[in-house]
Amino acid sequence: MASKDIATHRAGAEIYHGATLCKQKARELLDKFRLPETLMPFNDLIELGFNPTTGFMWMKQQKPTKYRVKDTGVSSYASELTGFLEDRRMRKLTGIKSKDMMIWMTISDVSIDRGDPNKIIFTTSMGLWKSFPVTAFENEPEEVK
């Protein structure tokens, strides 16, 4: 499904290749939309695309990975990640799961709380949500082997 969405939004998109350039551009994109620059791991990206007309963003990495962010738990990232960027929000996400109480939950939305910009909210596809302080994303996530 992610590959099909990527193909749909490729026309008119800014596309970058190579780990160093993709990491730099991904951080710039998140910063532009006022999201924490270390919200997601960017170490093994092979392609990053962003369509400024639709707001669609995608990332391709070498292999699926798991990372731990201080005080938030473990998250799993598929080899293809997609979503739509808006001011302080990523919506319709695909390829991201978070483990909570031994259950993997698909993350579909990440947003900065409008009422309290020091909180970031993660919402599942089932409507469940959890908030964390934005400061939890100040440091690089660590890979879980």
Side-chain angles (χ1 to χ4, degrees):
M1 181 67 153
S3 293
K4 185 178 177 183
D5 289 339
I6 292 169
T8 301
H9 292 275
R10 230 176 157 78
E14 302 164 2
I15 302 171
Y16 305 98
H17 295 93
T20 304
L21 181 59
C22 286
K23 184 175 186 174
Q24 173 194 339
K25 293 297 183 179
R27 288 187 168 194
E28 288 173 9
L29 251 160
L30 290 179
D31 186 53
K32 176 181 176 180
F33 288 93
R34 298 191 288 177
L35 292 164
E37 290 180 20
T38 56
L39 183 60
M40 297 157 59
F42 303 120
N43 295 331
D44 295 325
L45 294 180
I46 55 176
E47 182 177 287
L48 169 73
F50 175 67
N51 186 318
T53 304
T54 63
F56 186 78
M57 179 253 339
W58 72 88
M59 294 183 277
K60 292 182 181 181
Q61 55 182 1
Q62 293 177 8
K63 64 184 184 335
T65 55
K66 292 181 183 167
Y67 284 87
R68 180 183 318 280
V69 175
K70 180 184 174 188
D71 301 326
T72 66
V74 176
S75 295
S76 172
Y77 300 86
S79 56
E80 291 184 346
L81 311 167
T82 66
F84 290 88
L85 288 171
E86 298 175 357
D87 184 42
R88 300 178 189 203
R89 184 176 181 204
M90 295 174 72
R91 62 181 178 81
K92 294 188 178 180
L93 290 168
T94 66
I96 303 173
K97 294 181 182 180
S98 182
K99 191 172 190 178
D100 195 19
M101 297 180 65
M102 300 186 303
I103 299 171
W104 285 101
M105 308 286 270
T106 301
I107 302 297
S108 62
D109 193 282
V110 176
S111 61
I112 302 294
D113 188 331
R114 298 260 182 216
D116 184 355
N118 295 313
K119 289 185 181 177
I120 188 165
I121 302 167
F122 293 81
T123 307
T124 69
S125 52
M126 296 181 297
L128 302 172
W129 60 272
K130 192 167 188 177
S131 68
F132 298 98
V134 171
T135 55
F137 297 91
E138 290 176 340
N139 299 315
E140 290 281 335
E142 67 179 58
E143 187 169 2
V144 177
K145 303 282 181 180

